[in-house]
Amino acid sequence: MVALAYFFSRISHTVLFWAAFVLTRPLGAVVGDYLDKPTTSGGLEFSRYTASGLLLVAIVLLIVVIPQRAAEKSH
């Protein structure tokens, strides 16, 4: 919904950024918990350092893979 609002409405991009940020925080917490939770509890039981490293690598890869483009107009 936030992505659709970004492309098809005049809602402030700042408001949409914060909406996306607030909505995705729980997802990040769940992924982090899954990576370092014991396998007996359904996790992967990585150390916190390994889990943090995996998340860092994923973030860097997404930044590199997803093309960045310049703004269409100056603000």
Side-chain angles (χ1 to χ4, degrees), residues 12-35:
S12 163
H13 289 178
T14 303
V15 170
L16 293 173
F17 165 81
W18 284 108
F21 179 79
V22 168
L23 291 172
T24 57
R25 293 274 302 178
L27 174 63
V30 167
V31 171
D33 288 344
Y34 173 70
L35 291 174

Side-chain angles (χ1 to χ4, degrees), residues 2 6 11-12 29 32 38-39 44 46 49 57 61-62 64 74:
V2 174
Y6 179 86
I11 298 172
S12 163
T39 53
L44 295 178
F46 291 130
Y49 296 112
V57 167
L61 284 174
L62 288 171
V64 170
S74 175

Side-chain angles (χ1 to χ4, degrees), residues 53-67:
L54 289 171
L55 291 172
L56 178 63
V57 167
I59 290 168
V60 169
L61 284 174
L62 288 171
I63 290 171
V64 170
V65 170
I66 297 174

